[in-house]
Amino acid sequence: MVKFLFLQDMFFEFYGVMSLSATLKKKGHKCDLLICSKEKDLIKKVKALKPDIIAFSTATDYYKQELQLANRIKRETNVISLFGGPHPTYFPEMINDSGVDIISRGESEEAILELAENLKNKKPINSIKNLWVKDSSGKIYQNDLRPLLQDLDKLDFPDREIYYKRY
């Protein structure tokens, strides 16, 4: 089992976060979410939750703030940082930032599930389609995109509990 912690600053239900959480939970992984502005000591809370991956759904308006937060968390923990959403899809060079370990481009459900399964089974993660992965030496693996999902009925119902169990 891999533990994901989604971080966002505003309280707004992101469909992508709910969809990813549902996909991951269905396969036995754990997902949690923190609204950064609602936490008194965010770093302490992150450390207490002990995630394997911290995930951001990033729009261009907020990516600089999220990069700062990822760098702050990286200095105090050894958690993998993952950025998905519109900004990394269109501006994948953000992986060059020291606070970014992985970006997901395009649809992420299949890629994130494959990432979680590979981490759980101690398999390599550097060839997963839709992901760009930076290894410990700084080498970046730029993987191709998967075909778009044609049948949206194959997606799980969004996990709204991820927002409402804490807030």
Side-chain angles (χ1 to χ4, degrees):
M1 173 217 27
V2 175
K3 295 193 303 189
F4 285 77
L5 176 60
F6 294 90
L7 296 180
Q8 64 186 68
D9 199 35
M10 68 178 106
F11 187 82
F12 181 82
E13 298 171 339
F14 289 175
Y15 183 83
V17 169
M18 294 186 296
S19 182
L20 292 171
S21 179
T23 298
L24 290 162
K25 284 180 175 180
K26 184 178 181 180
K27 294 294 185 178
H29 301 287
K30 293 202 177 217
C31 296
D32 207 339
L33 175 128
L34 293 176
I35 306 295
C36 302
S37 59
K38 301 279 186 193
E39 298 299 326
K40 290 180 183 170
D41 188 342
L42 180 65
I43 300 297
K44 183 177 179 180
K45 188 75 164 196
V46 168
K47 288 179 178 179
L49 292 171
K50 299 179 182 171
D52 299 302
I53 296 178
I54 293 180
F56 298 87
S57 180
T58 306
T60 300
D61 290 353
Y62 301 100
Y63 86 96
K64 288 182 181 178
Q65 293 166 265
E66 291 170 346
L67 285 175
Q68 287 175 343
L69 178 57
N71 277 292
R72 189 172 143 218
I73 292 169
K74 184 69 73 186
R75 283 191 300 270
E76 302 205 27
T77 70
N78 196 25
V79 178
I80 296 169
S81 63
L82 166 69
F83 284 78
H87 191 78
T89 295
Y90 294 110
F91 302 100
E93 62 275 2
M94 75 177 289
I95 197 166
N96 293 314
D97 188 277
S98 61
V100 181
D101 297 311
I102 303 170
I103 63 162
S104 181
R105 299 177 60 227
E107 296 174 338
S108 294
E109 286 78 6
E110 292 175 345
I112 299 308
L113 183 56
E114 188 175 345
L115 171 67
E117 291 295 311
N118 283 13
L119 288 170
K120 179 179 91 172
N121 296 313
K122 299 187 182 338
K123 291 183 177 179
I125 61 170
N126 59 3
S127 62
I128 300 171
K129 287 188 176 185
N130 284 41
L131 299 186
W132 284 20
V133 179
K134 185 178 0 172
D135 70 15
S136 58
S137 73
K139 181 177 180 180
I140 297 170
Y141 297 87
Q142 300 177 5
N143 299 302
D144 293 333
L145 291 172
R146 300 167 190 262
L148 292 173
L149 185 62
Q150 298 298 312
D151 184 2
L152 297 179
D153 289 334
K154 289 184 178 181
L155 292 174
D156 296 300
F157 285 107
D159 173 25
R160 295 187 184 283
E161 178 191 33
I162 196 165
Y163 284 93
Y164 293 105
K165 72 178 186 178
R166 178 173 283 117
Y167 300 104

